[in-house]
Amino acid sequence: MTVKTMDTQQVVELLEKVAGLNQTGGNDRVKTIIHRLMHDIFQMVEDLDVTPEEFWSAVYYINELGKNGEAALLAPGLGMDKYLDIRMDAEDEQAGLAGGTPRTIEGPLYVAGAPVSDGFARMDDGTQEGDTMLITGVVTDQDGKPLPNTLVEIWHADLKGAYSYFDQSQSEYNLRRGIKTDAEGRYTAQSIIPSGYGCPPEGSTQALLNLLGRHGNRPAHIHYFVSKPGYKHLTTQINLAGDKYTFDDFAFATREELVVDAVRVKDAARAEQYGLNTPFTRVEFNIQLVSTDKADRQSRHERQRALES
Ligand SMILES: [Fe+2]
């Protein structure tokens, strides 16, 4: 059965009332968005002949999603985070701020307030017997000039694919650190190679992905925020090459330029140089920032983040 009601006076007026367009109070931006959102949902119901059963299963799905705390997990799974990145890339292009190390999605698991040190940080608390990983890199501007005193914030998952704070079995700020680059713009982080992870198998996100015939896995990755006054804030991640899901990430975060080699070092002399035992894995990630005088581009965009005031 196909009926068309969207253009009727009854539906047009209903949408206006729903969005409070006939009221003086409230917030105009919210009214505009809700009017458009509800219009598009109504339109979809009409175009796809959505049944009441389908509609109500979606409503209760959203209830479950919230109860499981998975809304910010479903969002990247449905490409929203990637889409916002595509928009920001296009905006940068338009504003003459393109270039530098590419951005990619932040994900929902940053925690503010991790310890900050100069030049070097050990990120793991030593309780997990993972493969030692040494990340080194230099932060420069677009001309290759090193940028000292740049804050490089790094966070990643443990061997179970879990993040401290959200996984209360880990110590406070385990695998989360801020490192200020030295006079040559260099930073070094010692940690353990993270595992990739999947959406909770019984969770709401995975339930929907199953209906789409999709998996919910992410490759091993390491998150970065890089900031320095006078430069565009960078939110990015690196992927270690060779992971099964490197180019098949359910959250669409992989970018070619952000896939780095994980080089196994067995040479004792080289290990000693870093005060490490062999073997260990060396990862190099150099970062290029784009200069800008626009204050709003120099800090990360606002969103709800753990422990951020
Ligand atoms: Fe992550």
Side-chain angles (χ1 to χ4, degrees):
M1 183 175 64
T2 304
V3 293
K4 300 290 178 197
T5 59
M6 281 303 288
D7 294 333
T8 63
Q9 191 63 18
Q10 201 181 6
V11 173
V12 170
E13 283 176 10
L14 174 62
L15 277 168
E16 284 174 4
K17 287 183 194 159
V18 164
L21 297 184
N22 60 342
Q23 302 294 323
T24 50
N27 177 301
D28 285 344
R29 177 69 174 162
V30 175
K31 289 182 183 198
T32 304
I33 290 173
I34 292 297
H35 185 256
R36 173 60 183 268
L37 175 71
M38 294 318 301
H39 172 275
D40 288 1
I41 292 176
F42 283 20
Q43 188 72 59
M44 177 192 64
V45 169
E46 175 168 289
D47 291 348
L48 303 181
D49 259 329
V50 172
T51 65
E53 290 79 4
E54 287 171 330
F55 176 76
W56 288 109
S57 71
V59 169
Y60 288 105
Y61 174 81
I62 291 170
N63 261 356
E64 279 299 312
L65 182 74
K67 224 188 296 172
N68 295 338
E70 284 195 28
L73 183 64
L74 181 65
L78 292 183
M80 270 314 302
D81 301 39
K82 177 66 183 178
Y83 178 61
L84 294 177
D85 274 358
I86 291 170
R87 281 183 55 82
M88 286 188 279
D89 282 351
E91 282 165 9
D92 282 352
E93 193 80 49
Q94 210 168 59
L97 293 172
T101 299
R103 64 162 54 82
T104 194
I105 72 171
E106 174 181 334
L109 303 176
Y110 174 79
V111 178
V116 176
S117 52
D118 289 322
F120 170 86
R122 175 151 182 192
M123 299 182 62
D124 66 304
D125 63 7
T127 58
Q128 294 192 19
E129 302 241 328
D131 282 338
T132 301
M133 166 178 77
L134 193 75
I135 311 175
T136 60
V138 56
V139 182
T140 64
D141 69 6
Q142 284 187 287
D143 299 322
K145 189 184 84 181
L147 297 177
N149 212 22
T150 303
L151 179 61
V152 178
E153 291 179 88
I154 306 177
W155 70 104
H156 66 78
D158 71 355
L159 301 182
K160 308 184 298 286
Y163 285 80
S164 63
Y165 179 86
F166 301 95
D167 168 19
Q168 289 284 322
S169 76
Q170 294 183 47
S171 60
E172 196 181 33
Y173 291 116
N174 190 36
L175 310 176
R176 301 177 182 277
R177 287 294 182 276
I179 304 170
K180 289 234 165 136
T181 57
D182 68 12
E184 279 85 49
R186 288 178 312 210
Y187 74 96
T188 304
Q190 181 187 330
S191 198
I192 50 173
I193 296 184
S195 295
Y197 56 81
C199 297
E202 305 304 327
S204 309
T205 304
Q206 190 57 56
L208 180 59
L209 292 173
N210 289 344
L211 291 171
L212 302 176
R214 291 177 48 196
H215 69 74
N217 295 302
R218 297 215 57 204
H221 61 275
I222 299 157
H223 295 267
Y224 279 74
F225 277 158
V226 188
S227 55
K228 182 176 173 68
Y231 294 86
K232 199 174 74 175
H233 179 271
L234 175 66
T235 299
T236 196
Q237 300 179 26
I238 51 175
N239 290 106
L240 304 183
D243 191 293
K244 180 177 168 202
Y245 296 107
T246 298
F247 291 100
D248 187 20
D249 175 7
F250 105 96
F252 308 103
T254 308
R255 298 182 78 150
E256 199 87 49
E257 308 92 316
L258 301 173
V259 178
V260 296
D261 288 327
V263 182
R264 198 89 168 135
V265 179
K266 293 185 182 142
D267 175 33
R270 277 202 68 199
E272 206 173 307
Q273 207 183 317
Y274 299 107
L276 298 173
N277 295 322
T278 51
F280 73 99
T281 296
R282 197 161 158 12
V283 174
E284 189 180 11
F285 182 52
N286 298 319
I287 298 160
Q288 211 175 62
L289 296 184
V290 176
S291 67
T292 179
D293 53 7
K294 295 189 173 79
D296 60 322
R297 305 285 183 130
Q298 295 178 24
S299 50
R300 55 193 180 227
H301 63 257
E302 283 184 32
R303 66 182 273 182
Q304 194 179 307
R305 295 183 178 94
L307 304 182
E308 191 165 64
S309 49

